[in-house]
Amino acid sequence: MKKVFYLIILVSSLFCLSCKSKVEKKSLNVSPVVIEDNNLVFQVDPKSELLMMALRLAKVNAMSYTSGFDYVFTNDRLVEKYKDHPLIKQLSKANKKYKGDFSSELEIAKYISDDITTLNVDSKNLPLELQAFWSLINLNQFIDNLNDFAVKIQFERIWKMNEGKNRIGLTNLKEFYQKNDYKILSWVENTFFTKEYSCKFTINSSFYVRNYFFPLSARFSGKNVLLDLYHPMDLNSEGFDDGWTSLYWEESIIQTILMENWEEIEGKIKPYVDEVLKKNKISVKKFNKENYIQEIRYYLSLILLTDYVKMAKTEEDIQGFQNYLKQKILLENVEEIILDHESSYLNNRDQYPEYKDFIIEYLKQF
């Protein structure tokens, strides 16, 4: 009987030891740096910033090209000794298999809890915007590794150290939109939505996204719109162009509409994109669902952008943009497509009060 008793104690002890050996996540106290103006929210998100530090260490896509700024290099020096951390290995391994848009890797940030301890998404039912990259990663391991990485690099200290620079950067960004009289804001509201909508636009910004814009999926809830996109911060207000900035606002909205209705339009879109790329000698062998959405999202955004350019730019700018379209858009008969798209939607708002009402029907005719 004593032997059984001691065996039970031994097993219990071993169980307790195994429990202690599991990762014990630490709750981090980090909050976004935020400046609000009009119905715009300018912010630097700590979850995104932490993720971008890790993606840079893992040499993932655009993060590898970020250069020339003290903020980035200073953080590089603080975290470089953790380049062999399990999180970095995990991201690097997935990146070797992934062929897609960098913004998809940042989409996960909105599902990470504020204290960086939990991931509010089910790996078995990943949202479409996460599937291409994050289906390659064990998400339970990812959140454990992310938390451990944050603790190891003392992310709370780094975040506090960078707060002043981030706030100055956001102030410059706000001044850019003020300088342009919120033309982008009013144009997007009027072009894509009806007056019944309550639009809230969150401009995520970072010194890490030097010269890159990353449209993230917008979120529609009833008559509320929360638009998230990344806007580079290390350019001063003189360096931004409102025309190209409006392009990325569009892409965020159009991407979401396409994702939500992909099954309905896939049969028309895939053959069309395949044909266009084939004519331009571009291979589609490794194209996935995300790649097709990126292609058509970009074309539609450029085409609709002509309306903003006509509204906000000089005749010289308009001519320059039209010449750019002819070179950049791979579609044939660009001028006819633009006119057809504009007249079909902008001149028929009674029939199509919102862009999402129009675009799915329009794409079915491709």
Side-chain angles (χ1 to χ4, degrees):
M1 190 69 183
K2 284 185 178 180
K3 289 183 178 180
V4 174
F5 177 72
Y6 289 133
L7 182 60
I8 292 172
I9 291 177
L10 178 61
V11 171
S12 299
S13 300
L14 290 172
F15 178 76
C16 290
L17 284 172
S18 68
C19 290
K20 289 181 180 179
S21 67
K22 290 182 180 179
V23 177
E24 293 185 9
K25 292 194 283 287
K26 176 187 173 183
S27 178
L28 276 79
N29 182 23
V30 286
S31 300
V33 179
V34 177
I35 294 179
E36 294 195 36
D37 190 50
N38 209 305
N39 55 341
L40 293 176
V41 178
F42 303 94
Q43 73 169 17
V44 185
D45 175 27
K47 296 173 292 184
S48 299
E49 204 79 350
L50 174 64
L51 183 59
M52 284 190 279
M53 286 181 181
L55 291 168
R56 181 163 168 80
L57 264 186
K59 301 187 183 304
V60 171
N61 293 341
M63 287 296 94
S64 303
Y65 314 134
T66 304
S67 61
F69 204 80
D70 288 344
Y71 175 98
V72 174
F73 291 148
T74 299
N75 288 341
D76 279 351
R77 289 192 291 271
L78 292 173
V79 304
E80 62 185 356
K81 65 180 180 180
Y82 297 100
K83 62 183 179 181
D84 293 322
H85 188 277
L87 173 68
I88 309 307
K89 291 180 178 179
Q90 193 179 28
L91 294 171
S92 180
K93 183 179 179 181
N95 185 56
K96 291 176 182 177
K97 301 177 183 178
Y98 173 66
K99 305 293 180 185
D101 186 6
F102 176 71
S103 63
S104 300
E105 293 145 12
L106 291 178
E107 293 276 10
I108 198 76
K110 69 180 73 167
Y111 298 99
I112 300 170
S113 64
D114 292 338
D115 63 357
I116 314 177
T117 60
T118 57
L119 196 58
N120 304 313
V121 65
D122 182 1
S123 59
K124 294 181 180 179
N125 297 293
L126 281 178
L128 181 56
E129 69 266 24
L130 298 182
Q131 288 176 13
F133 182 78
W134 293 100
S135 61
L136 303 171
I137 287 179
N138 181 316
L139 294 181
N140 289 329
Q141 288 179 356
F142 165 74
I143 192 61
D144 289 346
N145 289 336
L146 183 69
N147 183 266
D148 184 67
F149 178 74
V151 172
K152 292 275 175 54
I153 68 172
Q154 300 183 56
F155 182 62
E156 287 178 332
R157 181 174 68 88
I158 293 174
W159 184 247
K160 189 172 183 180
M161 177 185 74
N162 291 328
E163 183 177 354
K165 291 180 181 178
N166 284 328
R167 194 166 294 280
I168 291 171
L170 290 183
T171 300
N172 291 335
L173 193 57
K174 182 184 75 170
E175 289 174 355
F176 159 73
Y177 284 94
Q178 289 177 331
K179 175 187 173 184
N180 286 283
D181 300 322
Y182 302 102
K183 289 177 185 174
I184 299 171
L185 176 64
S186 58
W187 179 76
V188 167
E189 285 182 323
N190 295 331
T191 301
F192 287 91
F193 308 105
T194 59
K195 292 181 179 179
E196 289 76 25
Y197 271 87
S198 173
C199 297
K200 193 82 169 180
F201 301 96
T202 301
I203 312 298
N204 289 289
S205 192
S206 173
F207 288 110
Y208 274 97
V209 289
R210 178 179 173 82
N211 296 329
Y212 291 93
F213 290 78
F214 301 110
L216 300 183
S217 299
R219 283 170 277 178
F220 307 118
S221 176
K223 290 295 180 182
N224 296 312
V225 179
L226 179 58
L227 178 61
D228 286 320
L229 68 154
Y230 274 84
H231 200 307
M233 196 195 290
D234 65 327
L235 303 171
N236 60 38
S237 59
E238 297 296 326
F240 290 116
D241 179 85
D242 62 304
W244 292 117
T245 300
S246 64
L247 172 71
Y248 300 102
W249 283 56
E250 288 182 79
E251 285 196 66
S252 181
I253 296 169
I254 292 173
Q255 172 174 293
T256 304
I257 295 171
L258 294 177
M259 284 182 170
E260 289 181 348
N261 298 275
W262 181 246
E263 291 184 5
E264 193 174 353
I265 59 175
E266 180 180 10
K268 287 284 187 180
I269 295 302
K270 286 182 68 175
Y272 185 78
V273 172
D274 287 347
E275 183 180 351
V276 170
L277 296 178
K278 184 178 179 181
K279 285 181 179 179
N280 289 273
K281 298 181 179 179
I282 299 174
S283 173
V284 295
K285 286 183 179 179
K286 295 183 178 180
F287 259 46
N288 55 34
K289 190 183 299 183
E290 181 192 32
N291 297 129
Y292 283 105
I293 290 174
Q294 289 165 14
E295 287 292 327
I296 203 67
R297 173 195 80 187
Y298 182 61
Y299 292 152
L300 291 173
S301 298
L302 276 176
I303 290 168
L304 193 57
L305 184 61
T306 56
D307 180 62
Y308 179 83
V309 172
K310 289 176 183 176
M311 183 268 295
K313 299 295 181 181
T314 65
E315 286 298 323
E316 184 179 355
D317 291 331
I318 293 170
Q319 186 60 50
F321 179 71
Q322 289 174 340
N323 291 335
Y324 176 86
L325 280 183
K326 292 175 185 177
Q327 298 171 6
K328 199 70 177 176
I329 293 187
L330 303 177
L331 310 179
E332 296 178 1
N333 305 318
V334 173
E335 292 91 344
E336 289 87 344
I337 291 174
I338 291 170
L339 289 173
D340 178 58
H341 185 266
E342 287 185 332
S343 61
S344 298
Y345 176 58
L346 299 175
N347 297 333
N348 292 283
R349 293 300 295 273
D350 290 340
Q351 184 179 355
Y352 302 112
E354 298 169 29
Y355 189 71
K356 65 180 179 181
D357 297 327
F358 160 75
I359 194 58
I360 301 305
E361 294 302 316
Y362 183 77
L363 290 176
K364 286 179 182 177
Q365 307 306 316
F366 264 42

